[in-house]
Amino acid sequence: MSGVWVQVVQFLMALSLLIVLHEGGHFFFARLFKTRVEKFYLFFDFLFPFSNILPFSLFKKKIGDTVWGIGWFPLGGYVKIAGMVDESMDKEQLAKPPEPWEFRSKKAWQRLLIMLGGIIVNVLLAFIIYAMVLFAWGQDRLPLSELKNGIDVSDSLAYKLGFQDGDKIVAINGEKLKYYDDLMLSLFRPDAVVEIERKGEAKTINIPVNFAEQLINTKGGRLFAIPMPAIVDSLLPVGGARTAGMKHGDRILAVNGVQTPSWNTTRTAFQENKGKIVQLTILRDGSNLTLPVQLSDTGTAGFSQWRPENIEEGQKMGFYKVEHTSYGFFQAFPAGVGLAIDKLNAYVQQFRLILNPKTGAYKGLGGFDSMRKIYAPEWDWQHFWLVTAFLSIVLAFMNLLPIPGLDGGYVVFTLIEMITGRKVNEKVVEVATTIGLVLLLGLMLYANGMDVFRWFKK
């Protein structure tokens, strides 16, 4: 199975799980308060949000008062709760007098819990997944203090912003940065100021407000890389390295007597000496050797660079030490809650950037294909569950937004009723829900359209 299809399968599995459990939250509270649930669907059995267009199911079976089914339009799912304005826009039922088993007949606090049920389940699911991942695999983090030679720059945008190979990241907006994995996300803070140490001197780099837009335009992902020494993997048939007698596993320590602790610094030294013979100090079998190597006119020595496949392999080679934290079963739960809160805060931070036109972050919006790409192209259960937990957090947050048609919209109407003591007019709710659904459709078309646009732009 190709990498793309592995991602597709993982995404569909996660999406189905999240939809079923989210709608199951609504179902649970509805049944708890003896409210009739007429439909429970994974995916829509109509062309969302138009309930009268192409209404058919791939599968359905009625059990008791509820029709359980799988729709054909795989962009979500829903439960149809009797006596409630929802995606189905069933106006005929609402025109009749309310029945005791209908949503509109229930007390305000009961209706509030019914509407919050999906969000509650998504949050609890994220807590549980994160806890079980930490219990099963623990947590690996690379302290920035382990990068004795600073960071390597891996994107031209980083050079443009003012970063250089070997810079040591000290703090961002005055906050000490402890882990390498936190670096990229911290740069998305509004008007971030990065404090660095460069060759023993303290410097600052100001991150522009449209940093997100610049990153999108360069199609970049990570601006930095973990510095790795220049180690020979394989020799080209012809080149200065082969002629000089270099071998697989040779580690370059210096070029012309100047230390080059990373591949980037070695490559820069090669570029500065194009077409020349350089004296390479190398480490081989525990001993230092000096070899004269003829560089090509393009500044290459004629070998491919070895890189570890992952952080763990780099640790085994002794390049740095990863901080591993193991969790007992009961320790994992509070740690899982903490991790979920951290992920939520990070997502809210990114969401605020999207709402600010000056950042240009809205240009990075994506739909289902973008979400599919978050999953690994090879099967990795740890990564699968981590991404699924994050999407569960995202689903909870997005559904809590006060937009009619989303759970948050119904929550707002219910809170207004609880505060004022009067129900919001059902006609107002109906019109607001229609407007909200159209807005959601527009956002969905835009986000997925951006995916299509990027696909054709490749």
Side-chain angles (χ1 to χ4, degrees), residues 255-403:
V255 177
N256 290 337
V258 179
Q259 290 188 350
T260 53
S262 71
W263 166 244
N264 274 15
T265 53
T266 301
R267 184 176 57 187
T268 299
F270 284 177
Q271 291 297 307
E272 293 172 350
N273 291 278
K274 294 178 182 179
K276 299 179 181 178
I277 295 176
V278 293
Q279 301 295 322
L280 298 187
T281 303
I282 65 171
L283 176 65
R284 179 189 296 171
D285 299 329
S287 301
N288 289 356
L289 302 174
T290 300
L291 297 177
V293 177
Q294 174 69 56
L295 300 181
S296 70
D297 292 337
T298 58
T300 60
F303 67 88
S304 62
Q305 157 75 354
W306 177 88
R307 284 188 175 276
E309 294 183 2
N310 48 50
I311 290 180
E312 289 74 18
E313 188 176 359
Q315 179 175 234
K316 290 178 182 177
M317 295 292 293
F319 300 146
Y320 43 72
K321 186 177 180 180
V322 175
E323 181 181 289
H324 178 79
T325 306
S326 297
Y327 295 90
F329 183 77
F330 294 105
Q331 293 175 316
F333 285 94
V337 171
L339 184 55
I341 292 173
D342 288 343
K343 296 296 182 182
L344 175 60
N345 288 335
Y347 183 74
V348 171
Q349 180 179 319
Q350 294 177 54
F351 188 79
R352 291 173 59 189
L353 288 176
I354 292 173
L355 294 180
N356 183 355
K358 293 181 180 179
T359 68
Y362 65 89
K363 296 181 181 179
L365 274 176
F368 289 94
D369 191 54
S370 292
M371 286 189 279
R372 181 266 303 173
K373 292 177 181 176
I374 302 176
Y375 286 93
E378 64 283 331
W379 205 275
D380 182 336
W381 280 112
Q382 182 181 9
H383 187 262
F384 170 82
W385 287 117
L386 286 172
V387 174
T388 301
F390 175 69
L391 291 182
S392 192
I393 287 286
V394 171
L395 186 59
F397 174 78
M398 295 302 292
N399 268 282
L400 195 56
L401 294 176
I403 300 174

Side-chain angles (χ1 to χ4, degrees), residues 141-147 178-180 320-323:
R141 291 176 292 184
L142 178 61
L144 279 170
S145 59
E146 284 294 314
L147 305 183
K178 187 174 182 180
Y179 297 107
Y180 174 77
Y320 43 72
K321 186 177 180 180
V322 175
E323 181 181 289

Side-chain angles (χ1 to χ4, degrees), residues 155-163 172 182-194 205-224 349-350 353 356-364:
D155 192 284
S156 59
L157 175 58
Y159 288 119
K160 180 181 175 182
L161 294 174
F163 290 99
I172 296 181
D182 297 333
L183 176 55
M184 276 299 296
L185 183 61
S186 298
L187 295 180
F188 286 98
R189 299 177 185 178
D191 302 317
V193 178
V194 184
I205 295 176
N206 295 307
I207 304 300
V209 68
N210 68 335
F211 166 68
E213 181 179 12
Q214 293 187 45
L215 189 63
I216 293 165
N217 290 337
T218 59
K219 299 180 181 180
R222 300 192 72 92
L223 300 184
F224 313 108
Q349 180 179 319
Q350 294 177 54
L353 288 176
N356 183 355
K358 293 181 180 179
T359 68
Y362 65 89
K363 296 181 181 179

Side-chain angles (χ1 to χ4, degrees), residues 11-30:
F11 176 59
L12 287 177
M13 283 178 57
L15 183 65
S16 300
L17 174 68
L18 295 176
I19 291 171
V20 168
L21 292 178
H22 178 90
E23 302 305 331
H26 295 307
F27 180 86
F28 170 79
F29 283 103

Side-chain angles (χ1 to χ4, degrees), residues 108-122:
W109 67 270
Q110 293 175 327
R111 285 184 274 118
L112 182 65
L113 282 175
I114 291 172
M115 294 318 306
L116 287 173
I119 296 171
I120 292 171
V121 168
N122 281 132

Side-chain angles (χ1 to χ4, degrees), residues 25-38:
H26 295 307
F27 180 86
F28 170 79
F29 283 103
R31 299 305 297 145
L32 181 65
F33 302 127
K34 296 180 173 56
T35 308
R36 184 174 295 176
V37 179
E38 298 175 349

